[in-house]
Amino acid sequence: MKRLIQRELEQLNDPGPIKVMRSVSGGDINEAYYIRTNLNEYFIKINTHVPSNFFKVEALGLERIEQTYTINVPKVYHYNEPYEEETGILVMEWIEENRQAHSAEMLGQNLANMHKHPAKQFGLDQPTFIGRLTQANSWSGSWVKYYKEDRLQPQIQLAIENSPLPHRRIDKLERLTDQLGQWITHHPKPSLLHGDLWGGNYMVGPKGVPYLIDPSILYGDHAFELAFTELFGGFPPTFYVAYQEVMPLPLEYEDIKPLYQLYYLLVHLNMFGENFGPPVDRILARYVGE
Ligand code: ADP
């Protein structure tokens, strides 16, 4: 492993040697390392079991976010693409954690400014990943159509493949997707979204400045992003106050929030199994009945 990293650093004109190498925990799917040489510090992700464009898509997402000049992301120094015998590797700027009292507020402000970056349509021009699952993506003039066809339906299809017996849950999911437009009525604009923004996908770097990491970008309803931040425990209250000062949420937010959390719960159901079944069923009961 060390030799592989050494070779990668040489491509960045860092001749080494590696002075410090330690593994970093906290990621879902990749091995990660802190590396220090005489010249620099690095954060390196390594994986042999991911699709060949996996790190390229991550780098592209970080780059699109960086280009908005609204919120920090770690610089990507280099990535390769894992073909059959090669290992995928992504070399990035090391962010030294330094959480401060104002960090959550800054995150809210910066994220809202990022969400102001528009596109003509909803979706994206290429597939992305969430965990190990692929999100196909396309462009659509209608958020409801995109959310239904590119997000919910592929996850429902995967749930059917994972458990092929007839299933009340699947029937209800199909009924819910057919009626989505009945609840999502506020005509959102396409905003650049991180797309996988749970508490583990932002960091706080030097001077308490927030950084987004590990994105799965799309152009979508900004309420979709905020709904996911609330799914697993939520972000600090100052984050939400600061966010809404820049970019208020739609009046219907509380009514549609579970519909947006449903996507992420289906992803978790498909990746991690039935522990995520009951919260999916509760949302279905609320919108399409017991
Ligand atoms: P995975 O793709 O496996 O989910 P992440 O990108 O979430 O991996 O990173 C795993 C952990 O490594 C994060 O929770 C964070 O603590 C840390 N981390 C991620 N990026 C950096 C970075 N640029 N500098 C320092 N630590 C990082």
Side-chain angles (χ1 to χ4, degrees):
M1 187 64 67
K2 202 165 178 177
R3 214 143 23 97
L4 173 78
I5 293 174
Q6 187 87 53
R7 241 193 303 141
E8 208 61 21
L9 295 183
E10 280 160 17
Q11 299 214 25
L12 297 172
N13 293 324
D14 185 337
I18 293 173
K19 292 269 178 170
V20 181
M21 171 168 174
R22 74 180 145 76
S23 52
V24 176
S25 58
D28 285 338
I29 44 185
N30 301 296
E31 279 176 52
Y33 296 94
Y34 166 78
I35 299 287
R36 182 156 60 77
T37 65
N38 286 330
L39 288 184
N40 207 350
E41 293 177 301
Y42 303 94
F43 176 72
I44 296 191
K45 289 210 238 189
I46 292 182
N47 203 315
T48 33
H49 308 292
V50 293
S52 65
N53 59 344
F54 191 84
F55 286 138
K56 186 177 187 169
V57 169
E58 179 168 344
L60 180 124
L62 290 167
E63 194 182 306
R64 290 258 181 112
I65 293 174
E66 186 183 25
Q67 284 164 356
T68 66
Y69 298 104
T70 52
I71 189 157
N72 281 5
V73 291
K75 279 187 209 60
V76 174
Y77 296 131
H78 189 249
Y79 59 85
N80 74 347
E81 298 185 36
Y83 294 110
E84 300 207 349
E85 67 289 324
E86 251 193 287
T87 302
I89 180 161
L90 177 63
V91 184
M92 285 192 275
E93 175 187 9
W94 172 258
I95 309 298
E96 189 67 37
E97 283 261 25
N98 180 16
R99 205 163 285 247
Q100 293 184 10
H102 63 271
S103 302
E105 190 182 334
M106 253 180 109
L107 177 68
Q109 252 168 23
N110 294 354
L111 185 74
N113 282 317
M114 180 182 111
H115 285 170
K116 289 194 160 174
H117 274 257
K120 291 207 173 73
Q121 295 197 294
F122 298 97
L124 200 69
D125 48 5
Q126 61 159 74
T128 52
F129 299 95
I130 184 149
R132 275 189 205 82
L133 306 181
T134 303
Q135 299 167 130
N137 284 321
S138 59
W139 288 118
S140 174
S142 156
W143 166 247
V144 171
K145 183 169 183 290
Y146 171 82
Y147 187 49
K148 174 181 171 183
E149 293 178 6
D150 285 50
R151 293 294 168 128
L152 291 177
Q153 283 179 338
Q155 293 301 326
I156 295 170
Q157 191 52 42
L158 210 53
I160 294 171
E161 285 159 22
N162 287 345
S163 149
L165 298 172
H167 210 304
R168 270 167 58 82
R169 182 184 293 155
I170 301 295
D171 290 345
K172 288 200 207 174
L173 281 165
E174 285 170 351
R175 266 193 286 145
L176 179 137
T177 51
D178 285 340
Q179 298 168 42
L180 265 188
Q182 174 185 321
W183 299 291
I184 305 175
T185 55
H186 62 288
H187 303 296
K189 292 202 176 92
S191 292
L192 177 60
L193 307 183
H194 174 284
D196 189 11
L197 192 56
W198 64 289
N201 275 347
Y202 80 90
M203 295 185 65
V204 177
K207 301 195 177 121
V209 173
Y211 284 70
L212 295 184
I213 60 170
D214 212 7
S216 177
I217 61 162
L218 71 151
Y219 290 90
D221 181 359
H222 67 134
F224 180 47
E225 185 108 290
L226 272 280
F228 186 40
T229 67
E230 289 199 63
L231 184 57
F232 300 127
F235 285 27
T238 50
F239 162 83
Y240 296 99
V241 173
Y243 180 91
Q244 294 225 60
E245 276 170 11
V246 180
M247 188 134 182
L249 284 162
L251 290 175
E252 304 82 341
Y253 177 65
E254 291 299 331
D255 295 331
I256 58 173
K257 184 164 76 182
L259 291 173
Y260 286 166
Q261 292 176 333
L262 179 63
Y263 173 70
Y264 292 101
L265 286 168
L266 287 174
V267 167
H268 280 74
L269 181 69
N270 286 330
M271 281 201 315
F272 304 117
E274 191 48 36
N275 274 352
F276 290 93
V280 167
D281 293 338
R282 280 195 292 276
I283 292 175
L284 292 173
R286 170 169 171 174
Y287 291 93
V288 292
E290 291 296 339

